[in-house]
């Protein structure tokens, strides 16, 4: 799936996004007892396919960026993907390549009626409190950033690294919002970036990118020079975060494994690739607490039935013992919104903060010991938040793929 964003772009030809492999039932012989189970599994997959965009693989919704839209050729996309693909006034269907203009599209009424019958996907968030962070700077926008997928802050310099789908995949922004550097061109060389899914910045000043295009993890210095490319049999390297020791915690979404990578980036040497946890379910976003060493992972679950996908948050201690978890269903029992999490971070106090694409919000879920609480931090002004980080001054940074921007909120 689009890592939490619309696929393709007006700059480059649209194409299929990397995606965690979906389980398929084993083939059954005619009249075998497993045939009914296999048929039921196929029916469930078909049902999910009907209710999700086939470009970004996110579930359709009645409004906003998830609203289903018909193309003249008969194919259906969500509004977010439609806007990304037709950003320059010319729209090419990613499936049949028929060309049209965005004005020729229309709401997909059968799907909207089906969504109405199934009921609302989520409730409405209460407004953020009076002490909520205030937007102070917005960077990027369509043309500067194309379908951004990850954001990270340097803990020392405060520079921001943003991964996106443009010609040069990594943009580096300074304090004032100016773009200081662009690097990571698409290509076949060892440190070229084919399809960035996430980005992290280590304490020693290296930008580390997970590349779903060739299943590698690549490190660069601030000038954009590739210093290391790690290919350790990864299936789909996705979420990244750096520890205070400049190790990198990596989630492999397809293998269901959490790794710790220890490297000497200055020498371009990988010292160790350690499996921290296995048997996870499509782990995507990951964050490390700078004070306690705790690790939080967001799993994306493929549920059977009309409700489609859901997410689950798992919290591990510094020793990788499971100390807490909660899925979308459990969170729904406590909170007035169906929370579908695409990004996670720790604030300076060690509280877990997540993005919620259902309510287009950022929510604080509290510290691991008090998890989960419910404190909306940002409840308006976001389209499709899919990235999250904190700067050294505790400013909250939200990556919004809906309008291709990086939004920086002042600390409270």
């Amino acid at each position: 799936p689009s890592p939490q964003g619309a696929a393709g772009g007006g700059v480059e030809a649209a194409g299929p996004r990397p995606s965690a492999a979906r389980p398929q039932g084993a083939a059954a012989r005619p009249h075998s007892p497993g045939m009914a189970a296999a048929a039921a599994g196929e029916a469930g997959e078909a049902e999910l396919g009907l209710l999700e965009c086939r470009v970004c693989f996110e579930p359709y919704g009645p409004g906003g960026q998830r609203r289903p839209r018909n193309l003249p050729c008969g194919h259906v996309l969500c509004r977010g993907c439609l806007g990304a693909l037709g950003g320059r006034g010319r729209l090419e269907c990613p499936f049949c390549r028929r060309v049209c203009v965005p004005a020729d599209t229309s709401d997909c009424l059968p799907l909207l009626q089906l969504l109405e019958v199934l009921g609302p996907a989520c409730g409405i968030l209460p407004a953020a409190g009076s002490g909520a962070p205030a937007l102070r700077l917005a960077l990027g926008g369509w043309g500067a950033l194309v379908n951004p997928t990850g954001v990270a802050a340097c803990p020392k310099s405060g520079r921001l690294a943003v991964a996106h789908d443009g010609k040069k995949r990594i943009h580096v922004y300074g304090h004032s919002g100016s773009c200081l550097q662009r690097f990571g061109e698409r290509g076949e060389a060892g440190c070229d970036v084919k399809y960035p899914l996430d980005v992290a910045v280590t304490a020693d000043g290296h930008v580390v990118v997970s590349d779903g295009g060739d299943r590698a993890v690549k490190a660069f210095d601030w000038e954009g020079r590739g210093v290391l490319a790690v290919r350790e049999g990864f299936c789909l390297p996705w979420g990244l975060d750096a520890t205070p020791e400049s190790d990198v915690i990596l989630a492999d979404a397809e293998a269901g494994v959490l790794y710790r990578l220890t490297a000497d980036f200055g020498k371009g040497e990988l010292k160790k690739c350690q499996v921290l946890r296995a048997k996870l379910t499509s782990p995507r976003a990951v964050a490390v607490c700078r004070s306690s060493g705790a690790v939080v992972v967001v799993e994306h679950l493929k549920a059977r039935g009309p409700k489609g996908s859901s997410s689950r948050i798992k919290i591990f201690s510094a020793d990788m013992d499971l100390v807490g978890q909660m899925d979308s269903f459990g969170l729904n029992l406590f909170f007035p919104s169906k929370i579908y999490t695409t990004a996670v971070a720790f604030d300076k106090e060690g509280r877990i903060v997540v993005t919620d694409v259902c309510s287009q919000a950022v929510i604080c879920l509290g510290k691991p010991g008090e998890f989960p609480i419910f404190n909306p931090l940002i409840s308006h002004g976001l389209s499709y938040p899919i990235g999250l980080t904190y700067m050294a001054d505790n400013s909250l940074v939200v990556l919004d793929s809906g309008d291709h921007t990086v939004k920086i909120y002042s600390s409270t």
Side-chain angles (χ1 to χ4, degrees):
S2 165
Q4 328 129 349
V11 179
E12 301 176 10
R17 292 274 173 164
S19 143
R22 300 192 180 196
Q24 297 180 358
R29 293 175 296 180
H31 309 297
S32 69
M35 181 175 289
E42 292 172 0
E45 288 292 334
E47 185 177 47
L48 285 176
L50 178 66
L51 294 174
E52 67 182 19
C53 175
R54 304 308 297 168
V55 175
C56 65
F57 292 97
E58 297 292 350
Y60 288 123
Q65 297 297 307
R66 305 272 62 82
R67 190 174 179 87
R69 298 282 292 177
N70 275 323
L71 274 63
C73 57
H75 291 110
V76 182
L77 305 178
C78 69
R79 180 180 287 167
C81 292
L82 185 70
L85 292 171
R88 293 190 173 184
R90 178 182 179 276
L91 175 61
E92 184 179 272
C93 176
F95 307 109
C96 68
R97 302 300 180 185
R98 178 175 169 180
V99 177
C100 65
V101 296
D104 293 335
T105 65
S106 59
D107 284 339
C108 182
L109 296 180
L111 276 179
L112 288 171
Q113 291 167 359
L114 179 59
L115 290 170
E116 184 178 355
V117 169
L118 295 174
C122 60
I124 299 176
L125 277 182
S130 58
L135 179 66
R136 66 176 176 86
L137 188 62
L139 311 174
W142 177 256
L145 297 175
V146 182
N147 302 325
T149 55
V151 63
C154 178
K156 293 183 178 179
S157 69
R159 285 178 284 190
L160 289 175
V162 183
H164 73 124
D165 204 22
K167 183 177 181 181
K168 293 190 176 182
R169 311 298 208 177
I170 307 299
H171 283 199
V172 178
Y173 291 96
H175 281 287
S176 65
S178 60
C179 186
L180 305 178
Q181 188 63 268
R182 299 179 179 90
F183 58 85
E185 295 207 24
R186 183 175 186 172
E188 299 299 325
C191 279
D192 286 343
V193 181
K194 293 185 176 182
Y195 186 74
L197 292 174
D198 201 5
V199 64
V201 179
T202 63
D204 61 4
H206 288 90
V207 179
V208 186
V209 182
S210 56
D211 191 340
D214 60 0
R215 303 177 181 183
V217 174
K218 299 167 184 178
F220 302 84
D221 62 19
W222 284 116
E223 299 303 315
R225 292 183 290 264
V227 298
L228 181 64
V230 181
R231 297 173 176 86
E232 293 291 315
F234 302 133
C235 296
L236 187 59
W238 201 296
L240 293 168
D241 199 14
T243 71
E245 300 78 28
S246 291
D247 288 354
V248 174
I249 306 299
L250 167 70
D252 189 321
E254 191 168 301
V257 176
L258 199 66
Y259 294 96
R260 179 190 294 270
L261 306 181
T262 304
D264 186 332
F265 294 110
K267 295 181 178 179
E269 297 177 357
L270 176 67
K271 294 183 176 180
K272 189 176 183 181
C273 180
Q274 176 189 4
V275 174
L276 296 180
R277 298 286 299 199
K279 298 182 180 179
L280 299 174
T281 303
S282 191
R284 303 284 184 89
V286 60
V288 181
C289 182
R290 299 297 185 266
S291 57
S292 69
V295 177
V296 60
V297 181
V298 176
E299 297 178 300
H300 281 200
L301 315 175
K302 283 293 184 182
R304 298 291 183 185
K307 294 298 182 182
S309 303
S310 63
S311 58
R312 178 167 58 203
I313 302 167
K314 285 188 174 179
I315 307 167
F316 300 96
S317 68
D319 297 324
M320 295 310 297
D321 296 321
L322 182 65
V323 297
Q325 70 176 17
M326 185 73 73
D327 59 19
S328 294
F329 176 78
L331 290 169
N332 292 349
L333 299 179
F334 291 93
F335 310 137
S337 171
K338 174 187 174 182
I339 296 179
Y340 187 77
T341 301
T342 51
V344 63
F346 284 97
D347 68 8
K348 68 175 183 179
E349 304 297 333
R351 292 180 288 254
I352 297 168
V353 179
V354 300
T355 58
D356 174 26
V357 297
C358 285
S359 58
Q360 302 169 325
V362 175
I363 302 167
C364 177
L365 297 177
K367 297 181 179 180
E370 61 190 15
F371 175 87
I373 63 171
F374 186 76
N375 178 24
L377 300 179
I378 303 169
S379 56
H380 65 280
L382 299 175
S383 299
Y384 198 72
I386 50 86
L388 198 63
T389 191
Y390 276 90
M391 302 177 72
D393 62 359
N394 207 39
S395 293
L396 175 60
V397 182
V398 183
L399 183 63
D400 193 337
S401 72
D403 56 10
H404 313 275
T405 60
V406 177
K407 297 173 181 177
I408 303 176
Y409 294 81
S410 61
S411 58
T412 56

